Amino acid sequence: MNQIVMEELKREAEAAVKHRLPRDTFLDFAHPNNRLLVGVTCLRAGLPDLAYKLFQSIAEEGPNENPNQHFAYVRSLVEMAELDAEAQRFNQAAEKMKEALAQYPETMGYMMSRVHLEVYLAYYLYQAGQKQEAVEKIAGIAGREREKFATMPQHDAVALVGPGLCYALHQWALFYAMEENWEQAAQKAAEMVPFAERVDESGLKEAKQLLERGRAEDAFRRTIDSINY
């Protein structure tokens, strides 16, 4: 991004959210981490188009050897992917998320869950019409995380692996629901039970009864409502 465009972007961002940020945020606007902060602030202020331009300005600079600035690069790609998805630009969302995952350093795990980003990618692919690839990807994520879960003590596994694994299984169930294949959706949702932090046993019993009575859609929804991860 050339200097003139950067200055125009700075002026636009200052006018919009300067009052929401520390005074020195705009002093070094060229620094990607500062622009990331401004972009996130714009999102919270209900200014997605301006936020997108800020994230894009960071993404255009590419990967960075500096860990903090590299985080800004990856985070910007993720934010742009989510905004693309909200605008139904699922192919673009998938491409950005693929790059974010390719550049994702494991040290970012405490800030952004890689598993959740992988599930987002599967969802984008599904919505972009690449359904087989999406299902294969979500199945791969779930299988890998199940294996990881099995290697850890139960308490640690539920806390550390359970949320991502349940999220993947939940999205897999939603793929079936999108096709109105409610019985498989309900069955897949129920697979979350051993990995979830809390379950409502009475709700699961009710879901099972609904499924037995042929009310698969209601069973699916009751199952989802009965599991917390």
Side-chain angles (χ1 to χ4, degrees), residues 122-123 126 134-135 138 170-180:
Y123 171 73
Y126 189 94
V135 172
I138 209 78
H170 190 169
Q171 183 59 68
W172 197 350
L174 288 172
F175 287 159
Y176 287 121
M178 291 175 193
E179 302 293 333
E180 297 188 357

Side-chain angles (χ1 to χ4, degrees), residues 60-115:
E60 287 176 352
E61 294 180 4
N64 198 295
E65 292 183 2
N66 180 290
N68 290 328
Q69 294 186 36
H70 189 69
F71 168 77
Y73 171 68
V74 175
R75 173 72 182 274
S76 293
L77 288 168
V78 171
E79 297 290 355
M80 290 169 68
E82 292 183 10
L83 289 168
D84 281 335
E86 288 175 10
Q88 308 293 302
R89 299 187 296 265
F90 291 108
N91 280 310
Q92 294 180 42
E95 289 307 309
K96 290 181 179 69
M97 190 60 78
K98 285 178 183 178
E99 172 65 7
L101 286 165
Q103 296 293 338
Y104 181 96
E106 295 308 318
T107 53
M108 281 176 57
Y110 74 100
M111 294 183 181
M112 301 168 66
S113 163
R114 183 184 183 93
V115 175

Side-chain angles (χ1 to χ4, degrees), residues 41 50 70 91 101 124-125 133 138 150 175 180-181 184 193:
T41 303
L50 179 53
H70 189 69
N91 280 310
L101 286 165
Y124 299 157
L125 290 169
E133 182 179 353
I138 209 78
F175 287 159
E180 297 188 357
N181 190 337
Q184 282 193 277
V193 171

Side-chain angles (χ1 to χ4, degrees), residues 6 11-12 17 31 87 89 93 109 124 132 169 194 202 208:
M6 183 72 78
R11 283 194 293 271
E12 185 178 0
V17 295
H31 197 291
R89 299 187 296 265
Y124 299 157
Q132 182 175 347
L169 291 169
S202 63
K208 184 178 179 181

Side-chain angles (χ1 to χ4, degrees), residues 113-204:
S113 163
R114 183 184 183 93
V115 175
H116 282 70
L117 298 185
E118 290 175 326
V119 174
Y120 291 160
L121 173 57
Y123 171 73
Y124 299 157
L125 290 169
Y126 189 94
Q127 292 287 25
Q130 301 174 55
K131 295 183 179 181
Q132 182 175 347
E133 182 179 353
V135 172
E136 289 174 356
K137 186 170 290 295
I138 209 78
I141 297 166
R144 183 194 68 210
E145 295 303 303
R146 282 178 192 267
E147 291 179 4
K148 189 184 301 182
F149 192 98
T151 66
M152 303 173 69
Q154 179 72 14
H155 181 270
D156 292 342
V158 168
L160 300 174
V161 183
L165 175 51
C166 286
Y167 188 57
L169 291 169
H170 190 169
Q171 183 59 68
W172 197 350
L174 288 172
F175 287 159
Y176 287 121
M178 291 175 193
E179 302 293 333
E180 297 188 357
N181 190 337
W182 298 112
E183 184 172 349
Q184 282 193 277
Q187 292 171 351
K188 185 59 65 178
E191 290 182 23
M192 290 189 282
V193 171
F195 315 112
E197 182 180 4
R198 293 187 305 277
V199 297
D200 175 5
E201 295 293 348
S202 63
L204 293 175

